């Protein structure tokens, strides 16, 4: 299986996570393979810097989040002696409003997030998957929220997000047991969009990116913003929201180009505004 692309744009010391930008796509790589990409404090801080940088870059069309190496996407918080410095209550009191890795509960990222799950996605790693819009997994990938097995809880969206994303009994079968589930089972539940052999993972991600690129950038931003910022509303209430990305899309050059391209029976060339 090929590794996620090496960074073209990155911070000075990557502090456990790195950012690469290629063809309008941001690739975010958790880069701690020696601990199965478990996330510690510096990595969390770096990830939050990366998400802020991505949100500020209007040229980006999508994000891919993955883990370095072939064994793990992310196994959650670093539970080593050096990595655990808070009690359960202290962790709960100090939760990041954006969730685990700055992503699992993030509601301000207005472009699609694809989780490229190359191995274990456990604990906070699975919570980051729950913060993605599209999930592509290798056949060998495994998912789980094992926190109860170490006396902890999936407080960064794992409990509340999972039970909203898959059928209740399926969610509880994971939450109440801490068991691991293979990618095929998660696809059957509806959490994973596509399962492929490990060697085909990058090609599958590129297919999804190509489908996103075929759509108007302003329309995609509007869809993402409308979904992420109106989940608490009824469908009628959500439709009435005059969100910034919606208003921009309705009055955009993309809107005019899409109709013109359809009439002229050609592929659209998106201006992006």
């Amino acid at each position: 299986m090929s590794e996620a692309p090496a960074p073209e744009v990155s911070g000075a010391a990557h502090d456990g996570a790195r950012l690469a930008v290629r063809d309008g796509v941001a690739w975010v790589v958790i880069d701690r393979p020696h601990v199965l990409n478990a996330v510690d404090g510096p990595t969390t801080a770096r990830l939050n810097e990366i998400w802020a940088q991505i949100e500020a870059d209007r040229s980006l069309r999508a994000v891919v989040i993955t883990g370095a190496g072939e064994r793990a996407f992310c196994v959650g918080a670093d539970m080593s002696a050096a990595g655990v410095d808070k009690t359960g209550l202290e962790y709960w009191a100090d939760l990041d409003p954006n969730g685990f890795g700055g992503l699992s509960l993030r509601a301000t990222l207005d472009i699609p997030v694809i989780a490229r799950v190359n191995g274990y996605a456990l604990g906070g790693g699975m919570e980051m998957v729950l913060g993605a819009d599209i999930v592509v997994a290798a056949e060998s990938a495994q998912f789980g929220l094992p926190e109860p097995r170490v006396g902890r809880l999936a407080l960064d969206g794992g409990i509340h997000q999972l039970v909203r994303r898959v059928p209740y009994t399926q969610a509880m079968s994971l939450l109440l047991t801490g068991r691991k589930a293979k990618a095929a089972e998660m696809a059957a539940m509806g959490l994973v969009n596509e399962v492929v052999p490990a060697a085909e993972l990058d090609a599958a991600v590129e297919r999804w990116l190509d489908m996103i690129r075929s759509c108007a950038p302003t329309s995609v931003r509007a869809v993402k913003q409308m979904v992420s910022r109106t989940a608490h509303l009824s469908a009628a209430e959500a439709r009435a929201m005059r969100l910034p990305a919606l208003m921009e899309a309705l009055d955009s050059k993309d809107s005019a180009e899409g109709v013109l391209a359809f009439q002229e029976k050609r592929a659209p060339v998106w201006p992006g505004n």
Side-chain angles (χ1 to χ4, degrees):
M1 178 180 65
S2 59
E3 177 86 30
E8 297 169 10
V9 178
S10 64
H14 64 62
D15 287 328
R18 50 188 167 92
L19 169 65
V21 176
R22 175 166 56 89
D23 298 330
V25 176
W27 290 74
V28 180
V29 182
I30 303 170
D31 194 5
R32 305 186 77 222
H34 59 291
V35 288
L36 299 180
N37 298 318
V39 171
D40 61 1
T43 305
T44 296
R46 176 60 185 142
L47 284 167
N48 273 308
E49 290 175 358
I50 287 171
W51 298 125
Q53 184 175 342
I54 289 170
E55 288 183 348
D57 189 345
R58 290 279 301 185
S59 71
L60 295 175
R61 299 287 306 275
V63 181
V64 178
I65 174 76
T66 192
E70 299 184 0
R71 296 183 62 199
F73 172 81
C74 172
V75 296
D78 188 341
M79 293 290 289
S80 66
V84 178
D85 59 357
K86 297 178 183 178
T87 67
L89 281 173
E90 289 170 339
Y91 182 85
W92 182 55
D94 198 30
L95 288 175
D96 186 326
N98 291 312
F100 191 86
L103 176 65
S104 64
L105 295 173
R106 197 174 202 92
T108 53
L109 187 56
D110 293 336
I111 54 177
V113 178
I114 298 177
R116 174 191 179 273
V117 186
N118 51 314
Y120 291 114
L122 305 177
M126 182 164 176
E127 289 176 317
M128 294 184 80
V129 170
L130 289 165
D133 304 297
I134 295 169
V135 182
V136 184
E139 290 173 338
S140 56
Q142 294 188 53
F143 301 75
L145 293 167
E147 285 87 346
R149 296 195 173 204
V150 293
R152 294 295 179 97
L153 296 163
L155 297 174
D156 280 309
I159 294 171
H160 301 103
Q161 291 276 67
L162 185 62
V163 80
R164 296 175 187 182
R165 297 280 292 274
V166 305
Y168 176 86
T169 53
Q170 301 280 28
M172 296 303 274
S173 79
L174 295 171
L175 292 170
L176 298 177
T177 66
R179 71 181 181 90
K180 300 183 185 73
K182 293 183 178 179
E185 182 180 354
M186 298 309 298
M189 289 186 192
L191 185 68
V192 172
N193 295 85
E194 185 175 1
V195 180
V196 296
E200 299 175 18
L201 187 56
D202 286 331
V205 169
E206 287 297 334
R207 284 197 303 273
W208 285 97
L209 289 171
D210 285 342
M211 287 188 281
I212 291 169
R213 292 188 188 104
S214 72
C215 298
T218 51
S219 293
V220 171
R221 280 185 172 272
V223 168
K224 179 69 184 283
Q225 193 173 101
M226 291 166 71
V227 170
S228 62
R229 302 192 191 183
T230 65
H232 61 295
L233 303 175
S234 70
E237 290 169 335
R239 187 182 70 168
M241 291 288 290
R242 301 299 190 256
L243 293 168
L246 167 63
M247 306 309 293
E248 179 184 358
L250 294 176
D251 192 34
S252 67
K253 294 178 182 178
D254 284 349
S255 179
E257 167 62 10
V259 173
L260 183 62
F262 178 81
Q263 293 172 342
E264 295 178 351
K265 297 181 172 58
R266 60 173 174 81
V269 179
W270 302 119
N273 55 49

